[in-house]
Amino acid sequence: MDLKEKLVSSFMAFEDGLDLDHPVHEERSNAIKNFETKGFPTKKDEAWKYTSLKGLQKIDFSIFPKHETTLEYKDVKKYFLHEIDTYKIVFVDGVYSSYLSETTHDGVDVCLMSSAFSKPMFKQVIEVYFNKAASKDESLTSLNTAFSKEGAYIYIPKNKMPKKPIQILHLATGNEAALMLQPRNLIVAEDNAEVQIIERHQSLTGNEVFTNSVTEIFAGKDAIVDYYKVQNDEPTASLVDNTYISQKDSSVVRVHTFSLGGKLIRNNLNFYQNGERIDSTLKGITILGDKQHVDHHTLVHHAQPNCESHQDYKGIFGDSSTGVFNGKIIVDKIAQKTDAFQQNNNILLSDKSTINSKPQLEIFADDVKCSHGCTIGQLDQEALFYLRSRGIPKKEAKALMMYAFANNVLESVRIPELKARINKIIANKLGVRMGFDL
């Protein structure tokens, strides 16, 4: 039995423990039918031309964890942003860990999707927002919708802001030889609300993990959402991350993606601008080695006038690693005065590393300012020679150049402690001793 057949046959068992009269039941049923029809995407699909899931489909993943595990905070502390006080929503092998979490209903709701699905107090929000931004056609999003049960539920009412940032942490213990996880996150920031969120997926062993994640983010009028994705996992961990963002008038949403480790990472980041004077920011840093693979697919759909979008992705690829960047900007005929910027710059450190970059612009308006650019190259040998002539060792000189290359992405991180943490991870990835001042 291949993975697709196993998932489809497991759906009935999954439904047994759920309320079949719940409005979400129909969404799940339609979603599994779509996945059963389409199956996993293949390289024949244009959007998956450079990324293959064939190897993952041969692995015998457990769909539901067989064991519940309690972790001690001291054993996983390093995966938290523990330098500051935060709310925490923590899942261990897909199961909520109350011991490691800190949630709240004090003016805002920072809790679980399972609670939101089951409790009447959340019913209206679920009916209005759940599965409204996510694609009903994309097969892996449909698969996640079909099995949607647990994940982070964050609701920020009008004119509110949580007292502190929110961390979402998905831990995989390795108790299963191979485990598939399907977290579903729903984040709603109503008019004039503000929130900062950090999300991380982390394996604790070398066992295979395949995470198929979907996040929906809704930003009301004048809302501000900062979302940070930290992807620095084990070489046996694969992640498909589908994020769908719907923005209303004058809202600001910034998403930073740090892809620094993992076997295979596919980020589908989709912005839908449903109002005027909207600002959307998409920034990313990728640093890969070995045979790691990262695929960034972005979409910004400008549907209304007087909006902006800014995309800036930097990639550093060593060994036999591969990267993909496909950035699409759509500007509707009505979306005059759009200002859309897209830039993708890459450094190849090895003759065996590759990057496939494809910027796309579909512009149907005539009074717009749209630009895109892509560069692929190697480290500047003259600049490297200059640094070495000033007494900086070759290894640190290369690290300085690579750090400077990626630094403008880090500059826009609005949580200083997170910026410092990412700096440390990058220094470690580049093989620089931590005492060296970057």
Side-chain angles (χ1 to χ4, degrees), residues 18 24 107 133 141 245 260 267 306 375 381 389 410 422:
L18 302 176
V24 172
T141 299
I245 299 167
L260 306 171
N267 290 304
N306 304 305
T375 63
Q381 293 302 310
S389 70
L410 285 174
I422 298 300

Side-chain angles (χ1 to χ4, degrees), residues 69-123:
T69 305
T70 300
L71 297 173
E72 293 297 325
Y73 177 70
K74 62 181 177 61
D75 296 327
V76 293
K77 179 181 176 180
K78 64 182 179 180
Y79 302 119
F80 289 86
L81 187 65
H82 54 77
E83 294 86 353
I84 59 172
D85 190 20
T86 62
Y87 295 116
K88 303 169 187 67
I89 312 174
V90 183
F91 304 94
V92 178
D93 292 338
V95 178
Y96 173 64
S97 171
S98 58
Y99 178 69
L100 295 173
S101 299
E102 180 187 344
T103 59
T104 184
H105 296 289
D106 183 13
V108 301
D109 293 315
V110 179
C111 58
L112 313 176
M113 283 300 292
S114 57
S115 296
F117 283 140
S118 62
K119 294 183 179 180
M121 62 185 288
F122 302 118
K123 182 179 179 182

Side-chain angles (χ1 to χ4, degrees), residues 128-160:
V128 172
Y129 293 107
F130 177 76
N131 211 36
K132 297 302 187 292
S135 170
K136 295 176 178 59
D137 185 59
E138 202 277 325
S139 64
L140 291 180
T141 299
S142 292
L143 176 61
N144 178 281
T145 299
F147 285 90
S148 59
K149 179 182 179 182
E150 196 58 285
Y153 174 88
I154 299 170
Y155 179 77
I156 316 298
K158 292 181 180 180
N159 305 313
K160 295 288 185 178

Side-chain angles (χ1 to χ4, degrees), residues 265-281:
I265 301 174
R266 166 73 178 230
N267 290 304
N268 297 322
L269 182 55
N270 306 280
F271 277 75
Y272 303 99
Q273 297 188 336
N274 300 309
E276 295 193 40
R277 300 173 301 281
I278 289 171
D279 191 343
S280 305
T281 297

Side-chain angles (χ1 to χ4, degrees), residues 40-41 45-51 53 133-135 137-142 144 199 201 210-217 227 229 231 239-246 255 257 259 264-272 282 293-300 311 313 324-328 360:
F40 284 94
D45 301 308
E46 181 63 27
W48 289 82
K49 184 177 180 180
Y50 300 108
T51 299
L53 300 179
S135 170
D137 185 59
E138 202 277 325
S139 64
L140 291 180
T141 299
S142 292
N144 178 281
E199 183 179 27
H201 300 264
F210 176 23
T211 302
N212 177 37
S213 175
V214 172
T215 300
E216 293 183 281
I217 300 173
Y227 205 97
K229 299 173 182 285
Q231 301 168 344
L239 169 67
V240 176
D241 186 312
N242 288 287
T243 300
Y244 300 90
I245 299 167
S246 175
V255 177
T257 305
S259 301
L264 180 151
I265 301 174
R266 166 73 178 230
N267 290 304
N268 297 322
L269 182 55
N270 306 280
F271 277 75
Y272 303 99
L282 306 74
H293 178 92
V294 170
D295 183 344
H296 294 289
H297 264 64
T298 68
L299 166 67
V300 181
Q311 300 185 56
Y313 280 74
V324 181
F325 177 81
N326 188 302
K328 180 184 286 188
Q360 292 178 267

Side-chain angles (χ1 to χ4, degrees), residues 157-219:
K158 292 181 180 180
N159 305 313
K160 295 288 185 178
M161 178 180 179
K163 296 177 182 177
K164 46 195 177 183
I166 301 166
Q167 293 191 69
I168 305 170
L169 185 57
H170 306 273
L171 298 171
T173 63
N175 285 341
E176 312 286 341
L179 179 64
M180 184 171 185
L181 299 170
Q182 302 208 65
R184 181 66 171 244
N185 303 320
L186 177 62
I187 292 99
V188 179
E190 296 283 14
D191 297 353
N192 202 38
E194 186 171 350
V195 65
Q196 294 179 321
I197 301 169
I198 306 157
E199 183 179 27
R200 181 167 185 167
H201 300 264
Q202 186 63 51
S203 301
L204 305 181
T205 71
N207 286 0
E208 290 278 350
V209 178
F210 176 23
T211 302
N212 177 37
S213 175
V214 172
T215 300
E216 293 183 281
I217 300 173
F218 296 87

